[in-house]
Amino acid sequence: MAEDLKLFEGNRIRHIYDEEKEIYYFSVIDIVAILIEKDYQSARKYWNKLAQRLRDEGSEQTVTNCHQLKMKADDGKMRATDAADVETIFRIIQSIPSKKAEPIKQWLAKTGYERVQEMADPTTAIDRARETYKKLGRSDKWIQQRMTGQETRNKLTDYWKDHDIKEGEEYAILTNIIHQEWSGLSVKEHKNLKGLKSQNLRDHMSEAELIFTALAELSTRQIAQIDEATGMKENKKAAKEGGKIAKNARVQLENRTGKKVVTGENFLPKTKKPKQIKNNE
């Protein structure tokens, strides 16, 4: 099975594609979080109560059809979570009153068709990603940097995969080392700074943050290749050195411009301020 991550209105929806069965399995809690417009923990509690209610109402099959599959959590670790195919997800959506119900149904219906397109022509996946970012209001310049950074990231993870680094937890550990070295913050701290919860950090980085992330990961890969780093110990060393190269460049730029590279700026929708009620209203 291949794990993937897509966005629905800026929110992540983790899913796994079973190549053999040609079936998508979506994270139930990610879907529930969007429907109730709450954070992950609230969605988890809501789903637990809903699952019990479905059992009590005689709809136990809907709950039984959910599988425990490992998906990447916010901390980068692979953790078991309830996942279900599109048909089961539709039944769950019908059980939750939400204005997001119809839009997310349409999004889910498109996913299978898009997968077929991407398998026939991988460039459609890239084009689709660009279109998604455009719809979210990103500039062409930002999109280009995001795509370039992703290519750099993919080359690094390809190296790790071929040199005894396990996907999931070990990828997350090395990624965090690189990020901590160049930015001075852990991935979690950087997300907190930007006020992010389930959102992808890189999708909310500034152009400068994307560039320095890419520089850190490019440096890490090239150092690892020169040293023929294999396993966690050697790749941790490369990660620290690669991150430090980007850190030195960041500090030099900040000293020259007087502007911080790492900021709390994000692309989250602006919340409206509550209307002030006058005494005579």
Side-chain angles (χ1 to χ4, degrees):
M1 292 190 188
E3 187 187 5
D4 197 2
L5 177 67
K6 290 186 181 296
L7 295 176
F8 171 81
E9 297 183 353
N11 297 293
R12 71 170 187 173
I13 299 180
R14 293 168 297 165
H15 58 274
I16 290 176
Y17 184 72
D18 189 323
E19 301 281 355
E20 185 176 339
K21 296 180 180 179
E22 297 184 347
I23 294 175
Y24 272 109
Y25 293 96
F26 296 87
S27 165
V28 174
I29 295 177
D30 287 355
I31 298 288
V32 171
I34 291 169
L35 291 170
I36 67 173
E37 300 183 81
K38 298 286 185 180
D39 60 23
Y40 182 88
Q41 292 302 325
S42 298
R44 184 172 60 81
K45 293 176 182 177
Y46 188 101
W47 167 238
N48 287 340
K49 291 180 180 178
L50 176 59
Q52 186 57 54
R53 193 186 83 200
L54 290 170
R55 293 189 188 97
D56 295 341
E57 293 175 351
S59 301
E60 186 172 354
Q61 190 62 42
T62 299
V63 181
T64 304
N65 286 342
C66 295
H67 306 275
Q68 282 278 301
L69 299 178
K70 285 192 174 182
M71 296 184 180
K72 189 178 292 184
D74 281 345
D75 59 7
K77 295 181 180 180
M78 300 298 288
R79 300 184 186 279
T81 188
D82 282 333
D85 61 19
V86 173
E87 185 179 354
T88 303
I89 290 292
F90 269 40
R91 291 197 188 108
I92 293 170
I93 291 172
Q94 290 172 352
S95 302
I96 303 174
S98 170
K99 63 183 180 182
K100 299 286 185 180
E102 286 307 313
I104 204 166
K105 280 182 183 178
Q106 293 173 15
W107 182 89
L108 288 165
K110 286 177 58 182
T111 302
Y113 172 68
E114 290 175 352
R115 177 66 182 186
V116 173
Q117 284 186 312
E118 290 168 10
M119 290 174 69
D121 181 6
T123 59
T124 60
I126 298 172
D127 293 339
R128 188 166 290 114
R130 288 182 182 277
E131 188 61 30
T132 298
Y133 287 130
K134 274 186 173 294
K135 288 179 180 178
L136 291 172
R138 310 295 197 271
S139 68
D140 289 338
K141 194 173 181 181
W142 184 94
I143 293 171
Q144 184 58 46
Q145 189 54 54
R146 179 69 176 91
M147 304 300 283
T148 301
Q150 188 60 50
E151 183 179 355
T152 300
R153 169 70 179 177
N154 291 343
K155 288 179 180 178
L156 174 60
T157 56
D158 285 345
Y159 180 87
W160 286 345
K161 187 175 182 180
D162 294 336
H163 291 81
D164 295 344
I165 302 300
K166 298 175 184 176
E167 286 191 58
E169 184 174 359
E170 292 188 348
Y171 278 29
I173 291 170
L174 292 175
T175 299
N176 203 56
I177 289 172
I178 296 169
H179 200 86
Q180 180 87 50
E181 285 294 323
W182 87 256
S183 70
L185 297 174
S186 67
V187 172
K188 185 176 181 179
E189 288 169 342
H190 200 166
K191 289 185 72 172
N192 288 342
L193 178 65
K194 289 182 177 293
L196 306 179
K197 294 178 181 177
S198 61
Q199 297 88 349
N200 185 303
L201 174 59
R202 297 183 194 224
D203 285 342
H204 290 269
M205 284 184 175
S206 66
E207 182 189 358
E209 288 172 318
L210 287 172
I211 288 171
F212 281 99
T213 298
L215 174 59
E217 294 188 332
L218 173 69
S219 302
T220 296
R221 175 171 58 84
Q222 292 191 348
I223 291 169
Q225 288 173 331
I226 291 295
D227 293 348
E228 297 182 353
T230 301
M232 280 296 284
K233 183 177 180 180
E234 293 178 5
N235 276 285
K236 278 183 178 180
K237 181 175 179 291
K240 284 182 175 290
E241 291 183 21
K244 188 174 182 180
I245 287 172
K247 174 191 174 181
N248 291 338
R250 171 181 65 80
V251 171
Q252 286 184 346
L253 179 62
E254 289 177 340
N255 288 341
R256 181 67 178 83
T257 63
K259 296 180 179 180
K260 291 289 185 183
V261 169
V262 179
T263 73
E265 294 179 6
N266 57 54
F267 293 99
L268 293 172
K270 302 298 182 185
T271 56
K272 294 182 179 179
K273 293 182 179 179
K275 182 182 177 181
Q276 295 293 324
I277 300 176
K278 297 178 181 179
N279 292 332
N280 59 352
E281 287 186 343

